[in-house]
Amino acid sequence: ETGVTQTPRHLVMGMTNKKSLKCEQHLGHNAMYWYKQSAKKPLELMFVYNFKEQTENNSVPSRFSPECPNSSHLFLHLHTLQPEDSALYLCASSQDQLAAGTQYFGPGTRLTVL
Amino acid sequence: AQSVTQPDIHITVSEGASLELRCNYSYGATPYLFWYVQSPGQGLQLLLKYFSGDTLVQGIKGFEAEFKRSQSSFNLRKPSVHWSDAAEYFCAVPNNNDMRFGAGTRLTVKP
């Protein structure tokens, strides 16, 4: 079982759809992250959860709604997205939210909003 | 806030040639520094990290990086590049409770 898995790997949705991205980590970590990776832009941190509690919301629009039911699972619920939200969404985990902690990344979900 | 800059957006090298990817950081004290690699269609994988001690750090896949405080740099090197090294490379530094990544350097390897 690989360390961090993400489903689906690809997603195409219309602006009025509701969909969810799923991330699961099998590393026993306590912190989980959502990043957005757009073409020609640095990785943007979106949300951080530490011990299931949200500790960072990096000014993300409310059409993105995270959920962390336990330390192993992280969801990103999507609703009424815009075409500029098309990107690669990466999930990561680390042992805890210490600044020096190494992050382990999933393969990402490639999202296209039509 | 701590940050890193990768001056080179795209680099092309021939297979077997040496490689150096540049990373400059901005932070007054000694930072923790990381290099990650992202192959097409994949997430990021840690190559190596520097916390303290020896300024020359060895990583996976034959990569190494050298921390130079005088130049505020943490450049990634490999003596002989393989075609499978073609990927995007990210330098990163922790900032408070998250990781700040550079814009990335895309490496193309010519046969």
Side-chain angles (χ1 to χ4, degrees), chain B residues 87-105:
Chain B
E88 187 139 21
Y89 293 79
F90 296 90
C91 184
V93 64
N95 180 68
N96 294 327
N97 289 316
D98 66 84
M99 195 76 79
R100 293 293 170 90
F101 290 85
T105 297

Side-chain angles (χ1 to χ4, degrees), chain A residues 43-62:
Chain A
L43 262 70
E44 301 172 57
L45 179 69
M46 301 175 73
F47 302 104
V48 183
Y49 278 80
N50 198 34
F51 290 94
K52 302 188 295 179
E53 298 296 322
Q54 186 179 129
T55 56
E56 297 281 342
N57 177 338
N58 202 23
S59 303
V60 180
S62 59

Side-chain angles (χ1 to χ4, degrees), chain B residues 53-75:
Chain B
D54 194 345
T55 56
L56 186 62
V57 181
Q58 301 297 320
I60 62 171
K61 305 185 181 187
F63 286 92
E64 66 179 25
E66 186 170 13
F67 172 70
K68 292 186 177 179
R69 182 191 302 280
S70 62
Q71 299 177 19
S72 298
S73 70
F74 187 57
N75 294 348

Side-chain angles (χ1 to χ4, degrees), chain A residues 9 37 45 97 99-100 102 106, chain B residues 32 38 41 43 49 94 96-98:
Chain A
R9 294 293 308 275
Q37 187 177 32
L45 179 69
Q97 206 189 339
T102 301
Chain B
Y32 297 156
Q38 184 179 29
K49 58 188 176 186
N96 294 327
N97 289 316
D98 66 84

Side-chain angles (χ1 to χ4, degrees), chain B:
Chain B
Q2 300 185 63
S3 65
V4 288
T5 303
Q6 295 179 249
D8 305 305
I9 296 173
H10 187 198
I11 282 183
T12 300
V13 300
S14 298
E15 190 168 15
S18 63
L19 170 70
E20 182 168 34
L21 302 182
R22 295 186 290 166
C23 172
N24 295 104
Y25 66 88
S26 63
Y27 186 60
T30 300
Y32 297 156
L33 290 159
F34 298 75
W35 272 102
Y36 285 83
V37 61
Q38 184 179 29
S39 298
Q42 300 297 316
L44 278 68
Q45 180 185 19
L46 180 70
L47 282 176
L48 48 80
K49 58 188 176 186
Y50 172 75
F51 283 2
S52 65
D54 194 345
T55 56
L56 186 62
V57 181
Q58 301 297 320
I60 62 171
K61 305 185 181 187
F63 286 92
E64 66 179 25
E66 186 170 13
F67 172 70
K68 292 186 177 179
R69 182 191 302 280
S70 62
Q71 299 177 19
S72 298
S73 70
F74 187 57
N75 294 348
L76 182 71
R77 301 194 296 244
K78 187 169 184 178
S80 177
V81 169
H82 187 262
W83 64 266
S84 60
D85 294 323
E88 187 139 21
Y89 293 79
F90 296 90
C91 184
V93 64
N95 180 68
N96 294 327
N97 289 316
D98 66 84
M99 195 76 79
R100 293 293 170 90
F101 290 85
T105 297
R106 179 165 297 282
L107 174 65
T108 298
V109 181
K110 292 191 304 184

